[in-house]
């Protein structure tokens, strides 16, 4: 007996991977492997969390809060065995804009609301639809974000002194930085160059070592030993606290919610895409499968908790997740331990963080931006086709010069139009006619002048309806019967069904009979609903049967008409 597949139950869809792992008899050897992986990821996440927070316009401790609180919940409740949650470079632009417009309190509220939305999307099982974001859109907005991140770090990389606040938009930002070039600081450039060089060298010679932490540590030692006049975390922010703050709810007044709702929607869209993309990367590296809707619920709860502890928004992070896998992680426990290690680092080394030079953290983000730009994929899509290039460049341009959400939405819209155009071109209307130079799909159907056979192939939808209608209307002769073969049509929409209904009525006015062959149940249902039913047409199971019926109808009509 063959076992029947069944749709997973609600419990199966939303059971955290941690529970699954514990059911599989989690052993001491697994704990040791997860501890090593968690420590490795924590060492990578420490400088990144602070650097991303600073670049987002908030204090570095808020990045650590997000990694500690949010990262723990993502691993404990998520649908992936290996996902690492925390602040992501992709959010820098959105977070900085939200802070500039609504302040830190507005950012925390937007993060809180985004968490509610992500959880709702997961519970409604809508996570599956996020995978329909076209690949050129993903590459375009990632490259655009990387460009903006790099531009945002130029001030600290070069030690520039601006006459006023640094502009947010890309072009005004570059203009302001260009005017400030004469104020560039040699020590800041040296510290940044040392950090970048160290990171790249360690990656090349010892790829498994924590290159970011080593680069920042060497740059910090250089700045302290030589007493270089560069800005540090201590000079700008006064250091970081050595304990977590008490949790509290953000201001949930209706007016405040309305003000930050657009930002929350942007966080939700980007967070959902980024987290599931990261989970897919982990699946491809390990051969496992994540639970997308469970992952979104966990991401939502993690953002709610992060906001309550004063942390910035979080998502699944591809680089840290990949590091977790490469470090030998076996379960979500590694991600939970990564958060614990970060908390211990913050408690023990908070005073030392004050000595970290800001050019060194800017160097970390500069390398992150260069890595996340996906340069090879960008060049490949430019060469792939004109349509893909248009979607890619439109998304990239709008992200850089206009707005991240606008870039994603417009890119998605263009991608959908491109897909519909390609699908419409794939729909064919074939007629078995040996006289037009085309090979008929069945030469035996081309032997009767009184019966014309058309075969429609492909998904018959609104994008292809006009082309199919034009093909059906190009009828030079007036046959006595038509056979329309639907056996190669998997789906049909209302526009296409209405097109067939119009063709049927036109043919009937000309005195011809119509037989439809091979229509699948969903296609047949759509045709019947739109009026394509007996006595206007007859339905047969296959083209041969339909052709035989059409020929009989022609003979019957001829015998009836004979005197």
């Amino acid at each position: 007996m063959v076992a029947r597949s069944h749709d997973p139950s609600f419990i199966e869809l939303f059971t955290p991977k941690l529970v699954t792992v514990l059911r599989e008899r989690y052993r001491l050897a697994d704990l040791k492997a997860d501890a090593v992986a968690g420590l490795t990821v924590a060492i990578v996440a420490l400088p990144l969390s602070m650097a991303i927070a600073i670049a987002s316009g908030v204090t570095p401790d808020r990045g650590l809060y997000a990694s500690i609180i949010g990262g723990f919940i993502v691993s404990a409740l998520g649908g992936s065995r290996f996902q690492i949650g925390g602040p992501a470079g992709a959010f820098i632009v959105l977070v900085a804009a939200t802070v500039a417009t609504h302040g830190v309190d507005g950012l925390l509220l937007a993060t809180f609301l985004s968490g509610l939305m992500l959880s709702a999307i997961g519970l409604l099982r809508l996570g599956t639809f996020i995978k329909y974001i076209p690949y050129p859109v993903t590459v375009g907005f990632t490259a655009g974000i990387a460009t903006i991140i790099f531009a945002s770090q130029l001030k600290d990389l070069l030690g520039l002194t601006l006459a006023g606040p640094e502009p947010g938009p890309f072009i005004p930002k570059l203009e302001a930085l260009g005017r400030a070039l004469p104020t560039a600081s040699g020590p800041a450039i040296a510290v940044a160059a040392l950090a970048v060089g160290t990171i790249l060298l360690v990656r090349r010679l010892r790829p498994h070592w924590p290159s970011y932490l080593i680069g920042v540590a060497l740059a910090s030692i250089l700045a302290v030993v030589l007493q270089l006049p560069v800005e540090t975390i201590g000079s700008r922010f006064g250091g970081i606290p050595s304990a977590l703050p008490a949790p509290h709810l953000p201001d949930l007044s209706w007016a405040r919610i309305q003000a930050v709702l657009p930002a929350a929607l942007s966080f939700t869209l980007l967070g959902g895409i980024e987290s599931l993309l990261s989970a897919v990367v982990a699946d491809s590296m390990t051969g496992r499968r994540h639970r997308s809707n469970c992952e979104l619920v966990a991401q939502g709860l993690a953002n709610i908790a992060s906001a309550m502890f004063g942390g910035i928004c979080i998502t699944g992070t591809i680089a840290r997740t990949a590091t977790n896998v490469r470090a030998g992680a076996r379960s979500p426990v590694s991600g939970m331990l990564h958060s614990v290690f970060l908390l211990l680092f913050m408690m023990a080394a908070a005073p030392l963080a004050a000595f970290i030079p800001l050019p060194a953290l800017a160097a970390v983000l500069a390398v992150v931006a260069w890595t996340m730009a996906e340069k090879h994929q960008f060049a490949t899509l430019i060469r792939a086709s004109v349509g893909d290039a248009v979607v890619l460049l439109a998304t990239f341009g709008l992200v850089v010069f206009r707005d991240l959400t606008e870039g994603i939405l417009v890119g998605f819209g263009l991608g959908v139009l491109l897909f519909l155009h390609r699908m419409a071109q794939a729909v064919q209307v074939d007629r078995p006619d040996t006289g037009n130079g085309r090979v008929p799909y069945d030469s035996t159907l081309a032997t009767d002048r009184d019966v014309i056979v058309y075969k429609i192939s492909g998904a018959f939808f609104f994008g292809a309806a006009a082309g199919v209608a034009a093909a059906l209307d190009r009828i030079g002769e007036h046959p006595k019967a038509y056979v329309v073969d639907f056996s190669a049509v998997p789906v049909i929409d209302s526009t296409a069904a209405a097109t067939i209904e119009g063709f049927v009525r036109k043919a009937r006015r000309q005195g011809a009979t119509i037989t439809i062959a091979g229509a699948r149940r969903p296609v047949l249902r759509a045709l019947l609903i739109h009026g394509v039913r007996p006595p206007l047409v007859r339905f047969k199971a296959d083209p041969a049967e339909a052709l035989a019926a059409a020929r009989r109808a022609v003979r019957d009509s001829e015998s009836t008409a004979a005197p």
Side-chain angles (χ1 to χ4, degrees), residues 19-27 81 288:
V19 175
T20 303
V21 167
L22 295 178
R23 288 173 178 170
E24 295 172 353
R25 295 184 62 188
Y26 191 73
R27 298 177 175 86
R81 290 174 183 257
R288 298 284 187 172

Side-chain angles (χ1 to χ4, degrees), residues 210-411:
S211 57
Y212 292 135
L213 186 62
I214 294 173
V216 170
L218 285 180
S220 302
I221 293 171
L222 176 71
V224 171
V225 170
L226 299 182
Q227 296 185 349
L228 297 178
V230 295
E231 258 198 306
T232 64
I233 288 180
S235 63
R236 182 180 293 186
F237 303 106
I240 62 173
S242 58
L244 291 173
H248 67 279
L249 286 172
D251 177 12
L252 294 175
S253 65
W254 179 240
R256 195 66 167 157
I257 289 175
Q258 287 181 304
V260 303
L261 191 59
L265 289 170
S266 299
F267 291 171
T268 302
L269 177 61
L270 184 55
I273 295 171
E274 189 83 1
S275 62
L276 295 188
L277 181 61
S278 177
V280 168
V281 170
D283 288 351
S284 66
M285 295 177 68
T286 62
R288 298 284 187 172
R289 290 185 61 186
H290 73 280
R291 297 172 183 139
S292 58
N293 292 303
C294 179
E295 183 64 25
L296 288 180
V297 171
Q299 295 285 343
L301 295 175
N303 275 281
I304 292 172
S306 177
M308 292 177 64
F309 279 88
I312 59 178
C313 51
I314 73 160
T315 185
T317 56
I318 296 176
R320 274 160 274 176
T321 298
T323 300
N324 189 40
V325 173
R326 294 192 191 102
R330 299 185 183 180
S331 76
V333 174
S334 65
M336 298 163 65
L337 289 175
H338 130 271
S339 296
V340 173
F341 285 129
L342 278 176
L343 177 60
L344 295 176
F345 290 159
M346 187 179 74
M347 294 172 62
L352 297 178
F355 297 101
I356 297 177
L358 294 183
L361 291 179
V364 169
L365 285 182
V367 175
V368 168
W370 177 258
T371 304
M372 71 182 292
E374 299 187 2
K375 301 167 288 299
H376 175 72
Q377 294 88 333
F378 197 100
T380 299
L381 286 172
I382 289 291
R383 298 191 302 267
S385 70
V386 174
D388 287 334
V390 169
V391 174
L392 173 72
L393 294 175
T395 305
F396 175 78
L398 287 171
V399 167
V400 173
F401 299 105
R402 290 280 299 175
D403 176 74
L404 177 63
T405 306
E406 185 176 331
I408 293 175
L409 294 178
V410 171

Side-chain angles (χ1 to χ4, degrees), residues 45-321:
L46 181 64
L48 271 178
S49 300
M50 292 189 291
I52 290 172
I54 292 171
S56 301
V58 297
T59 54
D61 54 309
R62 296 190 183 276
L64 292 174
Y65 300 157
S67 289
I68 293 168
I69 300 298
F72 187 91
I73 293 177
V74 164
S75 296
L77 303 179
S80 170
R81 290 174 183 257
F82 308 103
Q83 182 87 283
I84 299 295
F91 279 92
I92 288 176
V93 180
L94 289 175
V95 173
T98 304
V99 172
T101 305
H102 304 289
V104 174
D105 290 340
L107 167 66
L108 298 181
L109 177 58
T111 301
F112 186 89
L113 296 176
S114 174
L116 294 176
M117 293 178 196
L118 282 169
S119 295
I121 290 172
L123 290 172
L124 293 173
R125 307 184 188 185
L126 301 179
T128 306
F129 294 100
I130 294 180
K131 68 184 180 183
Y132 297 126
I133 300 292
Y135 182 61
V137 175
T138 303
V139 174
F141 85 71
T142 302
I145 290 168
T147 302
I148 295 175
I149 291 174
F150 186 81
S152 70
Q153 298 309 300
L154 289 174
K155 176 179 177 292
D156 287 332
L157 281 171
L158 303 177
L160 302 178
T161 302
L162 301 182
E166 184 175 356
F170 188 71
I171 295 300
K173 179 191 294 289
L174 292 184
E175 292 174 346
L177 294 174
R179 289 192 296 268
L181 278 178
T183 66
S185 166
I189 295 174
V191 168
L194 174 64
V196 170
T198 302
I199 292 169
L200 298 180
L201 186 63
V202 171
R203 280 188 169 186
R204 183 178 182 85
L205 300 179
R206 293 289 186 271
H208 297 294
W209 289 12
S211 57
Y212 292 135
L213 186 62
I214 294 173
V216 170
L218 285 180
S220 302
I221 293 171
L222 176 71
V224 171
V225 170
L226 299 182
Q227 296 185 349
L228 297 178
V230 295
E231 258 198 306
T232 64
I233 288 180
S235 63
R236 182 180 293 186
F237 303 106
I240 62 173
S242 58
L244 291 173
H248 67 279
L249 286 172
D251 177 12
L252 294 175
S253 65
W254 179 240
R256 195 66 167 157
I257 289 175
Q258 287 181 304
V260 303
L261 191 59
L265 289 170
S266 299
F267 291 171
T268 302
L269 177 61
L270 184 55
I273 295 171
E274 189 83 1
S275 62
L276 295 188
L277 181 61
S278 177
V280 168
V281 170
D283 288 351
S284 66
M285 295 177 68
T286 62
R288 298 284 187 172
R289 290 185 61 186
H290 73 280
R291 297 172 183 139
S292 58
N293 292 303
C294 179
E295 183 64 25
L296 288 180
V297 171
Q299 295 285 343
L301 295 175
N303 275 281
I304 292 172
S306 177
M308 292 177 64
F309 279 88
I312 59 178
C313 51
I314 73 160
T315 185
T317 56
I318 296 176
R320 274 160 274 176
T321 298

Side-chain angles (χ1 to χ4, degrees), residues 398-486:
L398 287 171
V399 167
V400 173
F401 299 105
R402 290 280 299 175
D403 176 74
L404 177 63
T405 306
E406 185 176 331
I408 293 175
L409 294 178
V410 171
F412 178 77
L414 290 175
V416 169
L417 291 177
L418 177 63
F419 169 76
L420 294 177
H421 175 67
R422 289 171 175 169
M423 288 293 293
Q425 288 182 321
V427 178
Q428 295 180 347
V429 181
D430 294 318
R431 176 181 170 186
D433 184 355
T434 55
N436 63 2
R438 296 174 62 185
V439 178
Y441 63 88
D442 185 349
S443 60
T444 62
L445 302 181
T447 59
D448 196 331
R449 292 181 176 274
D450 291 329
V451 180
I452 288 182
V453 181
Y454 284 100
K455 181 177 183 179
I456 303 175
S457 303
F460 191 9
F461 67 111
F462 65 89
V468 172
L472 295 176
D473 285 341
R474 289 195 294 267
I475 303 172
E477 62 270 38
H478 296 287
K480 297 178 181 179
Y482 292 97
V483 173
V484 184
D485 183 0
F486 269 83

